[in-house]
């Protein structure tokens, strides 16, 4: 158990809908990262927050948004969902975003868009 | 050019044998970290081991060790006495100091190696 929690574990929804994925980082970690992993693909970095502020953006679509709250939990909002958004979404956390810092991953949320 | 290369898309290994998963990297930055993660079929991403570019010794964590050959830019994962539960995808990843605050030292991922342990 990495100490990072994600809810829900599974999510099935229809095209055009909006969903919210939630992440709680490990105790003491200030940095939260969101990743998308499509079937048989590597991880695509979406966005990173550090202590409530957006720090870096990766390949995040405009239909997606995220935020990190004062209690450090984070939410990833996916809207106008398309079939291609079906993927495993990971949240990871780390203490300080340096080159030597290890990211610990949550169990992921498996999103299926029908 | 690929920054992280994992040349073995898949491997079959007999249970109890040692296995080496290859990872080569490309960077001109003297400061970098190398990470290995395991992803079983259940989907979670599990951190295994870390090696820093300035570390003099090869990293070890239980049955996992990292064969770090800096001059060859190689960071192979060695699993000793493999078990059926080691069957999974294994990803090598790197962070460079030159990634800097703007990119926030993003992890650069390899394509992964699918390891299957045969009983």
């Amino acid at each position: 158990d990495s100490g990072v929690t994600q809810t829900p574990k599974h999510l099935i929804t229809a095209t055009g809908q909006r969903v919210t994925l939630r992440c709680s980082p490990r105790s003491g970690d200030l940095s939260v990262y969101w990743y998308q992993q499509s079937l048989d693909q590597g991880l695509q970095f979406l966005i990173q927050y550090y202590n409530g502020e957006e720090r870096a953006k990766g390949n995040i679509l405009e239909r997606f948004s995220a935020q990190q709250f004062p209690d450090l939990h984070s939410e990833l909002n996916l809207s106008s969902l398309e079939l291609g958004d079906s993927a495993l979404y990971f949240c990871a956390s780390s203490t300080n975003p340096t080159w030597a810092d290890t990211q610990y991953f949550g169990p992921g949320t498996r999103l299926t868009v029908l | 050019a690929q920054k992280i290369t994992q040349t073995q898309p898949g491997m079959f290994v007999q249970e109890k044998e040692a296995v080496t998963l290859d990872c080569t990297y490309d960077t001109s930055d003297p400061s970098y970290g190398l990470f290995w993660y395991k992803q079983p079929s259940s989907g979670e991403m599990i951190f295994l081991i870390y090696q820093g570019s300035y570390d003099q010794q090869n990293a070890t964590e239980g049955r996992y060790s990292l064969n770090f050959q800096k001059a060859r830019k190689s960071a192979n994962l060695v699993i000793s006495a493999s078990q059926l539960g080691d069957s999974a995808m294994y990803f090598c990843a790197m962070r460079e100091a030159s990634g800097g605050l703007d990119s926030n030292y993003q992890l650069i991922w390899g394509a992964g190696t699918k390891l299957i342990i045969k009983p």
Side-chain angles (χ1 to χ4, degrees):
Chain A
D1 186 345
S2 67
V4 179
T5 60
Q6 286 187 252
T7 56
K9 208 168 169 60
H10 301 276
L11 200 46
I12 301 174
T13 188
T15 53
Q17 295 297 306
R18 173 189 167 95
V19 296
T20 298
L21 312 184
R22 184 189 166 105
C23 166
S24 292
R26 294 186 320 155
S27 176
D29 283 357
L30 299 178
S31 237
V32 167
Y33 309 76
W34 286 98
Y35 291 89
Q36 179 194 56
Q37 186 181 37
S38 302
L39 195 62
D40 295 328
Q41 298 289 315
L43 272 78
Q44 295 292 319
F45 168 70
L46 296 178
I47 198 164
Q48 187 226 344
Y49 282 84
Y50 177 73
N51 204 19
E53 292 189 6
E54 182 185 302
R55 267 292 180 93
K57 257 185 174 175
N59 301 321
I60 188 165
L61 300 171
E62 284 193 15
R63 300 183 284 111
F64 296 1
S65 64
Q67 55 184 322
Q68 186 180 27
F69 294 88
D71 67 353
L72 300 177
H73 91 271
S74 178
E75 292 180 358
L76 178 67
N77 300 297
L78 316 175
S79 61
S80 303
L81 285 167
E82 302 174 0
L83 295 177
D85 297 328
S86 295
L88 188 52
Y89 290 85
F90 284 109
C91 165
S93 75
S94 71
T95 311
N96 285 305
T98 68
W99 59 270
D101 195 36
T102 297
Q103 292 182 24
Y104 293 90
F105 283 73
T109 292
R110 194 172 291 277
L111 174 66
T112 304
V113 182
L114 300 175
Chain B
Q2 292 276 11
K3 286 236 174 191
I4 297 284
T5 303
Q6 295 182 252
T7 56
Q8 307 148 309
M11 283 185 74
F12 285 91
V13 171
Q14 202 68 38
E15 192 181 6
K16 297 193 178 89
E17 288 184 353
V19 55
T20 298
L21 304 180
D22 295 340
C23 173
T24 56
Y25 59 92
D26 182 24
T27 182
S28 55
D29 196 325
S31 305
Y32 54 90
L34 296 157
F35 304 81
W36 277 92
Y37 288 87
K38 170 185 177 182
Q39 187 175 33
S41 57
S42 51
E44 68 265 37
M45 190 70 73
I46 302 165
F47 166 69
L48 294 178
I49 196 165
Y50 162 80
Q51 180 86 44
S53 58
Y54 298 110
D55 293 343
Q56 296 294 315
Q57 309 258 17
N58 285 342
T60 61
E61 287 287 347
R63 292 187 300 114
Y64 304 108
S65 61
L66 208 151
N67 184 1
F68 182 46
Q69 299 188 40
K70 200 169 177 177
R72 296 179 61 185
K73 294 187 177 175
S74 162
N76 298 339
L77 178 70
V78 180
I79 307 173
S80 63
S82 58
Q83 302 170 358
L84 296 178
D86 294 332
S87 294
M89 280 288 285
Y90 288 81
F91 292 97
C92 178
M94 175 175 69
R95 269 176 132 173
E96 302 166 290
S98 59
L101 283 177
D102 287 340
S103 72
N104 225 31
Y105 310 106
Q106 283 184 41
L107 270 173
I108 304 162
W109 295 84
T113 294
K114 184 163 188 170
L115 174 66
I116 296 174
I117 307 297
K118 299 183 292 184

